[in-house]
Amino acid sequence: MSLVRLTIKGISYSHTQNGAYALILNEVEGERKLPIVIGAFEAQSIAIAIEKELKPQRPLTHDLFKNFADRFDIIIKQVIIHKLVDGVFFSSIICERDGIEEIIDARTSDAISLAIRFNAPIFTYKNILDKAGIYLKEQSESEDHPSEEETEEDFDEVLEEFLSAAPKTDATNEYAQYTLEELYNLLEAAVLSEDYEKAARLRDEISKKNL
């Protein structure tokens, strides 16, 4: 399958979906955008990595991973968004140490947070982009060229439609109504069934309740 390289356009916050963020990836040799719903904590980590001037007083989780990897001569060569199931993206981190390459499964938000910190390229497969990529609204030939503000408004409208239709992920607080005991029980069940995407979302909710 053909790989397509992506770059990061930025992070967009939904004005209609409370707490929903979308990481927007650009097709390098094309016009499609790939929006990925992410959580608030992941959005913060990615934003900090993009804005080089922002330096947290203490290392964030992804910064800690970067420091750990640097200490033990581990590099991230690339990130591949390799699967899309029921609106959830699955990614792999391609690492190398002492000439030995390893493939590590990861949440897409985590994988991209690390890719930025390692200056590693991000790829997806063409069939995923064909399925989930979106275009800005096209103007007819008779219309004047849209202004940048109008183009952004068009994109925001498309993005809101995408967020409204997107399944619940770590960006939507789907476990907020559960008690800590219920969350721990759900987490244990998710780990036993090897549903690590669900386990990661449960872990995030447990962390928020423990603050």
Side-chain angles (χ1 to χ4, degrees):
M1 289 184 287
S2 176
L3 282 173
V4 178
R5 185 163 181 176
L6 304 168
T7 59
I8 296 173
K9 173 181 173 61
I11 297 171
S12 180
Y13 177 74
S14 172
H15 299 288
T16 61
Q17 304 293 310
N18 187 32
Y21 290 82
L23 171 66
I24 313 300
L25 302 176
N26 278 343
E27 181 183 16
V28 170
E29 297 183 358
E31 299 179 356
R32 287 175 291 185
K33 309 257 186 305
L34 186 66
I36 299 175
V37 182
I38 61 174
F41 292 117
E42 292 80 5
Q44 179 190 52
S45 180
I46 291 171
I48 286 173
I50 293 173
E51 299 294 334
K52 304 297 184 183
E53 308 83 41
L54 296 177
K55 296 289 183 183
Q57 292 184 345
R58 301 295 297 151
L60 300 179
T61 302
H62 298 108
D63 298 318
L64 175 62
F65 185 98
K66 175 66 164 60
N67 295 338
F68 180 89
D70 288 344
R71 181 66 59 89
F72 291 95
D73 298 321
I74 300 169
I75 63 170
I76 290 179
K77 298 177 66 177
Q78 62 184 9
V79 162
I80 300 176
I81 303 169
H82 64 83
K83 187 166 65 173
L84 174 60
V85 179
D86 296 330
V88 178
F89 293 90
F90 293 77
S91 293
S92 295
I93 300 173
I94 315 301
C95 303
E96 184 178 287
R97 181 173 183 263
D98 295 334
I100 299 174
E101 191 172 277
E102 298 285 351
I103 301 176
I104 299 175
D105 182 42
R107 294 191 304 166
T108 297
S109 54
D110 290 329
I112 291 176
S113 291
L114 292 173
I116 300 168
R117 288 165 167 82
F118 282 86
N119 293 317
I122 302 165
F123 296 93
T124 192
Y125 289 108
K126 182 179 181 298
N127 64 319
I128 293 177
L129 197 56
D130 290 341
K131 183 177 180 181
I134 62 174
Y135 289 93
L136 290 176
K137 290 183 178 179
E138 295 182 358
Q139 302 288 325
S140 66
E141 291 184 4
S142 61
E143 292 178 332
D144 295 331
H145 292 294
S147 68
E148 182 177 343
E149 182 178 349
E150 290 171 332
T151 301
E152 288 300 325
E153 288 177 357
D154 287 343
F155 180 70
D156 287 344
E157 185 176 337
V158 172
L159 186 60
E160 289 297 336
E161 292 176 2
F162 166 81
L163 287 168
S164 298
K168 289 183 176 181
T169 65
D170 49 344
T172 55
N173 201 1
E174 60 189 299
Y175 299 113
Q177 73 273 22
Y178 291 93
T179 66
L180 270 174
E181 182 179 358
E182 290 171 331
L183 288 170
Y184 278 117
N185 289 336
L186 288 170
L187 177 60
E188 182 178 0
V191 171
L192 288 174
S193 64
E194 297 186 352
D195 188 348
Y196 298 118
E197 287 287 320
K198 181 178 179 180
R201 298 197 298 273
L202 287 163
R203 178 204 63 200
D204 290 344
E205 184 60 31
I206 289 170
S207 296
K208 283 188 279 185
K209 287 186 180 294
N210 280 327
L211 290 177

